[in-house]
């Protein structure tokens, strides 16, 4: 039961702002409960972060950048923060990429128009034409290679 | 040259006076932005916007509050706006083909556990845990507690920065602490 009481009063404990009777009750509980002792210790440490310097260092270009922006604003031309510009470019770039993708996809699709073949003669001639145009190089094996051996087997048959 | 004299010169577009003001307050502005944004690069970008606003609105500064209060107010407002805008940017990041590595993320996730004798949480890890919990707070609670804890502002000063009452600030900070407690518990339990 007192564990809950401790958890409700952690800030008071670490800031030392509890009425004496509450403080005594909590101290008595901490003598007997390791879990709450650990919790108070952890909370105390986390609360210490308020006291620690942020350690933030100013960019050496802070004033230079500021003066540039002031001067630009005086010339009626406010300089946007560079990072803002990039953010707004993102959806535009995404849209442009999609449109370019669609365009190239369409171009690829229209590269070869399928031929309608209606007879076996047409199939043979289409295959021959395809082999002539595209596969001639398959037979260009170097002399003595395994490829040449297989080609010669086919020719013998 | 005191702050009010500087502001008068800045209102007349004096770059030298502006540079002096920037040098005087850049740490205050950047650290405020950083504590609200948790990212060095974002903090610097917003700090630039803060000073540009100061330059543009110097003429309207009546000196009713301290310059630091004015700067805190602008820094908090612009940082909170930036966080809202970042939600939209995260959507745009879906298209981030060339998304750069977010340089200088303040709280890199570290999973190393071996060199943690006796459950000593390293400084970086402590900051990361607190930052995660802070990130989940409603924005005004986050602003109030970071101004109080990181910038050391009094409740009265925070009320002036946030344009609210002292009682409202007390309530904001009280709720922020309770919420942080709730958010931190599971994070600490996991360690
Ligand atoms: Zn317990």
């Amino acid at each position: 039961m007192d564990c809950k009481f401790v958890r409700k009063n952690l800030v008071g404990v670490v800031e030392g702002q509890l009425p004496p009777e509450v403080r005594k009750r909590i101290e008595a509980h901490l003598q007997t409960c390791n879990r709450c002792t650990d919790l108070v210790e952890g909370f105390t440490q986390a609360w210490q972060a308020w006291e620690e310097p942020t350690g933030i260092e100013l960019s050496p270009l802070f004033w230079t950048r500021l003066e540039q922006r002031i001067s630009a604003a005086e010339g009626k031309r406010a300089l946007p923060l560079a990072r803002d510009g990039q953010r707004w470019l993102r959806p535009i770039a995404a849209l442009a990429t999609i449109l370019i993708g669609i365009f190239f996809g369409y171009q690829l699709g229209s590269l070869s128009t399928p031929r309608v073949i209606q007879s076996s003669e047409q199939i043979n001639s289409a295959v021959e034409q395809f082999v002539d145009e595209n596969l001639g190089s398959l037979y260009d094996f170097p002399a003595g290679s395994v490829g040449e051996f297989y080609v010669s087997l086919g020719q013998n048959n | 040259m005191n702050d009010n004299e500087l502001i008068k010169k800045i209102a007349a577009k004096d770059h030298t006076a502006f540079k002096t003001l920037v040098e005087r307050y850049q740490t205050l502005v950047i650290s405020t932005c950083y504590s609200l944004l948790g990212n060095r690069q974002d903090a610097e970008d917003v700090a630039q916007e803060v000073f540009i606003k100061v330059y543009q609105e110097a003429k309207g500064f009546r000196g009713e509050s301290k310059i630091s209060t004015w700067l805190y107010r602008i820094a908090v407002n612009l940082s909170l706006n930036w966080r809202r805008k970042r939600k939209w940017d995260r959507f745009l990041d879906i298209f981030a083909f060339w998304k750069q590595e977010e340089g200088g993320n303040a709280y890199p996730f570290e999973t190393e556990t071996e060199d943690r004798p006796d459950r000593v949480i390293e400084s970086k890890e402590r900051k990361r845990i607190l930052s995660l919990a802070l990130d989940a707070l409603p924005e005004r609670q986050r602003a109030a507690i970071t101004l109080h804890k990181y910038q050391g502002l009094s409740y009265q000063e925070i009320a002036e920065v946030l344009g609210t009452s002292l009682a409202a600030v007390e309530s904001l900070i009280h709720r922020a602490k309770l919420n942080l407690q709730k958010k931190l518990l599971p994070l600490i339990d996991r360690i």
Side-chain angles (χ1 to χ4, degrees):
Chain A
M1 189 60 187
D2 265 8
C3 291
K4 212 171 178 184
F5 186 72
V6 171
R7 293 170 89 88
K8 273 188 175 175
N9 285 288
L10 283 168
V11 173
V13 171
V14 298
E15 293 199 331
Q17 289 174 341
L18 292 174
E21 67 278 9
V22 175
R23 188 169 48 82
K24 272 182 194 160
R25 184 176 159 186
I26 289 174
E27 279 170 358
H29 177 72
L30 293 181
Q31 298 287 324
T32 60
C33 181
N34 287 338
R35 188 153 184 259
C36 285
T37 308
D38 280 354
L39 190 65
V40 168
E41 174 60 24
F43 198 88
T44 307
Q45 290 188 43
W47 210 251
Q48 272 172 16
W50 287 118
E51 315 297 329
E52 290 166 1
T54 52
I56 181 166
E57 281 175 28
L58 203 63
S59 154
L61 295 175
F62 185 80
W63 166 251
T64 312
R65 196 171 147 223
L66 185 59
E67 194 181 28
Q68 277 174 356
R69 295 186 67 206
I70 292 290
S71 302
E74 283 173 338
K76 303 290 177 216
R77 190 172 53 85
L79 275 185
L81 287 168
R83 299 196 318 151
D84 274 359
Q86 286 187 355
R87 283 196 186 106
W88 285 102
L89 276 175
R90 285 171 192 165
I92 296 166
L95 186 64
T97 309
I98 292 165
L99 289 177
I100 290 167
I102 292 171
F103 174 75
F104 278 107
Y106 179 77
Q107 291 296 316
L108 276 173
S110 61
L111 271 182
S112 58
T113 313
R115 266 184 283 172
V116 178
I117 296 170
Q118 284 159 340
S119 67
S120 59
E121 288 78 25
Q122 278 182 320
I123 291 175
N124 285 339
S125 72
V127 169
E128 275 168 23
Q129 191 190 342
F130 178 79
V131 168
D132 285 348
E133 285 172 2
N134 299 294
L135 300 180
S137 59
L138 287 181
Y139 294 96
D140 298 339
F141 294 108
S145 70
V146 177
E148 189 194 39
F149 171 71
Y150 279 110
V151 169
S152 68
L153 280 181
Q155 284 164 352
N156 289 342
N157 289 338
Chain B
M1 200 182 298
N2 71 33
D3 285 350
N4 287 331
E5 287 166 347
L6 275 180
I7 288 289
K8 270 181 202 158
K9 290 196 168 202
I10 294 167
K13 308 296 174 199
D14 181 333
H15 281 208
T16 312
F18 184 51
K19 188 178 183 189
T20 307
L21 183 101
V22 170
E23 283 168 352
R24 198 172 288 175
Y25 288 105
Q26 60 192 15
T27 307
L28 177 152
V29 170
I30 292 239
S31 63
T32 303
C33 297
Y34 180 74
S35 63
L36 286 164
L37 297 165
N39 177 293
R40 192 186 61 81
Q41 185 59 58
D42 285 350
E44 202 165 304
D45 285 348
V46 176
Q48 290 257 326
E49 301 299 326
V50 171
F51 283 116
I52 285 173
K53 204 168 167 67
V54 166
Y55 187 79
Q56 289 167 341
E57 297 182 3
K59 229 175 192 170
F61 181 74
R62 289 190 216 103
E64 286 161 358
S65 59
K66 286 194 287 182
I67 289 211
S68 60
T69 307
W70 186 43
L71 286 167
Y72 275 127
R73 192 179 304 144
I74 300 173
V76 167
N77 287 339
L78 293 186
S79 297
L80 295 180
N81 286 347
W82 187 271
R83 281 172 65 85
R84 287 179 216 127
K85 186 173 154 283
R86 222 163 48 177
K87 286 181 186 164
W88 166 241
D89 288 339
R90 276 188 203 125
F91 167 74
L92 293 180
D93 278 347
I94 295 167
F95 302 104
F97 300 130
W98 59 89
K99 189 174 183 226
Q100 294 166 333
E101 194 185 328
E102 291 291 337
N105 192 340
Y107 311 104
F109 191 86
E110 290 192 344
T111 51
E112 297 157 25
T113 52
E114 51 276 14
D115 55 347
R116 201 177 285 151
D118 302 329
R119 282 172 57 89
V120 172
I121 313 174
E122 286 179 14
S123 168
K124 217 180 208 176
E125 180 70 354
R126 285 198 289 269
K127 285 179 187 167
R128 186 187 71 82
I129 290 172
L130 186 60
S131 164
L132 281 174
L134 271 173
D135 216 36
L137 292 187
E139 57 183 38
R140 283 176 73 78
Q141 286 181 29
R142 182 182 165 101
I145 197 156
T146 52
L147 286 172
H148 181 54
K149 290 284 193 181
Y150 278 134
Q151 306 300 326
L153 264 59
S154 69
Y155 284 17
Q156 183 57 49
E157 286 170 312
I158 297 169
E160 284 170 37
V161 170
L162 297 182
T164 191
S165 66
L166 190 61
V169 171
E170 283 168 356
S171 165
L172 279 171
I173 290 182
H174 178 69
R175 280 179 287 143
K177 284 180 179 176
L178 290 182
N179 275 330
L180 277 178
Q181 184 174 276
K182 208 188 288 173
K183 312 279 180 198
L184 279 170
L185 271 171
L187 295 169
I188 292 165
D189 269 341
R190 244 178 269 154
I191 295 170

